[in-house]
Amino acid sequence: MHIVRTLPELRAALSAFEKPAFVPTMGNLHDGHLALLKLAKPEGDVAVASIFVNRLQFLPHEDFDSYPRTWEADCAKLEAAGCDVVFAPREADLYPEPQTFKVHPDPRMADILEGQFRPGFFVGVATVVMKLFQAVFAGHAQGVAAFGKKDYQQLMVIRQLVRQFALPIEILAGETQRTAEGLAMSSRNGYLSEAERAEALQLSLALRGLAQSALSLGQALPEKREALEQSFMSLLQDRGWKPDYLTVRRRVDLQAPTAQEPAQSLVVLGAAKLGGTRLIDNFEI
Ligand code: PAF
């Protein structure tokens, strides 16, 4: 496995290949990331993963400084999973000057849900993903990149970015990987105490409950949706959580469903803080 830091090194490592298969990450790898590599690798002729904790997508009060950096373990996992090239730029390699040009996703998609509670998050994500795509795919007529459904809204923003800039990159969506109990795998699970880890399951249980109730409302969902969402947020609140949102949306654009929406076109999404840790999860209905 090749480890490269700079753009020229990356380009040299990829120059002999035709179709890179790429998994961008911020490191602290878990089975969710490795499943993305497994999904992408057979679709290309060289498997590339990036490890870069992107300052641009963190708000000043968020966990950029404490975000877990587990370089050696990450490299061992990537090597065992068949990764060919790891791109791990230093900040100055990816941002050699202040990034004043940014990619601003459609606010209808990016200023709701995660974007409402983490303003600027998707500008930071879209900007770094565009730079990483440029780094990995420049000089290649085709490529694939894999993103997890765990970050559902991020996946949709990236799909829209690729479509609207007509990038020759196929986006693959990896299913959320869960522990045996059902907890969605996330690097931020590492912040949880043992007791919090057991409690953390309640977010996915609340989302499943919300999905089931939404289904049983059928055509009445639009008028009863907000009250229903509030009742599931209250359930979590009563257990000591601080929910940002638990909501039923259309998969296609993450807007509120109308009475016409067939049930299988919906998704439930949630974000809530447990102690000092903010967790997100979702289920397609
Ligand atoms: O999902 C992530 O880990 C990050 O948002 C990404 C896509 C690597 C961009 O920094």
Side-chain angles (χ1 to χ4, degrees):
M1 188 175 74
H2 239 76
I3 296 174
V4 297
R5 296 265 180 206
T6 66
L7 293 184
E9 282 169 357
L10 177 66
R11 299 227 163 107
L14 298 182
S15 63
F17 297 96
E18 286 192 351
K19 188 178 178 191
F22 178 43
V23 180
T25 83
M26 298 205 298
N28 194 236
L29 303 182
H30 50 68
D31 285 354
H33 298 110
L34 302 179
L36 293 179
L37 192 69
K38 198 168 164 197
L39 180 70
K41 188 176 161 76
E43 305 302 322
D45 58 357
V46 58
V48 188
S50 63
I51 297 182
F52 181 69
V53 185
N54 174 38
R55 188 187 291 277
L56 228 57
Q57 69 192 72
F58 289 79
L59 286 168
H61 66 271
E62 291 184 338
D63 55 344
F64 174 77
D65 288 329
S66 58
Y67 197 85
R69 287 154 172 92
T70 49
W71 171 247
E72 309 231 315
D74 289 349
C75 285
K77 287 178 188 171
L78 287 173
E79 180 140 45
C83 182
D84 301 305
V85 177
V86 181
F87 177 44
R90 288 157 293 227
E91 223 167 9
D93 294 311
L94 212 54
Y95 296 120
E97 58 183 60
Q99 187 69 31
T100 50
F101 278 87
K102 294 195 177 122
V103 179
H104 285 263
D106 182 345
R108 282 170 303 182
M109 173 76 77
D111 289 0
I112 58 171
L113 307 174
E114 283 306 280
Q116 182 188 338
F117 290 93
R118 304 182 70 191
F121 172 68
F122 289 113
V123 174
V125 168
T127 301
V128 80
V129 167
M130 192 64 147
K131 287 176 76 99
L132 291 168
F133 280 176
Q134 189 59 29
V136 171
F137 296 113
H140 294 91
Q142 49 175 350
V144 301
F147 291 82
K149 285 192 187 177
K150 160 83 175 15
D151 296 294
Y152 202 84
Q153 194 176 358
Q154 168 174 282
L155 170 66
M156 300 199 56
V157 167
I158 302 299
R159 280 196 190 286
Q160 207 170 44
L161 175 146
V162 165
R163 228 175 28 242
Q164 293 194 5
F165 285 105
L167 305 179
I169 303 166
E170 185 190 350
I171 300 298
L172 306 175
E175 294 302 326
T176 301
Q177 301 297 305
R178 296 180 183 276
T179 63
E181 301 78 39
L183 178 64
M185 291 194 185
S186 161
S187 298
R188 291 192 169 98
N189 291 350
Y191 297 148
L192 300 169
S193 68
E194 209 175 306
E196 286 173 336
R197 205 181 155 85
E199 175 65 23
L201 268 181
Q202 296 298 326
L203 175 60
S204 62
L205 291 177
L207 285 170
R208 283 191 191 281
L210 174 59
Q212 244 164 23
S213 307
L215 273 184
S216 58
L217 280 177
Q219 300 267 315
L221 177 63
E223 68 188 89
K224 303 230 162 110
R225 181 182 61 90
E226 284 182 14
L228 182 67
E229 292 171 355
Q230 193 49 57
S231 71
F232 280 92
M233 297 220 286
S234 300
L235 278 181
L236 285 183
Q237 249 153 6
D238 292 346
R239 302 182 65 95
W241 291 70
K242 290 202 184 74
D244 284 343
Y245 59 86
L246 264 72
T247 187
V248 188
R249 295 297 168 109
R250 307 200 291 217
R251 288 188 204 176
V252 63
D253 57 6
L254 300 183
Q255 301 300 313
T258 64
Q260 276 69 50
E261 246 75 58
Q264 69 276 16
S265 68
L266 302 176
V267 57
V268 288
L269 307 109
K273 243 179 148 185
L274 179 59
T277 309
R278 188 172 182 280
L279 299 172
I280 62 171
D281 200 353
N282 66 78
F283 292 98
E284 288 175 328
I285 300 185

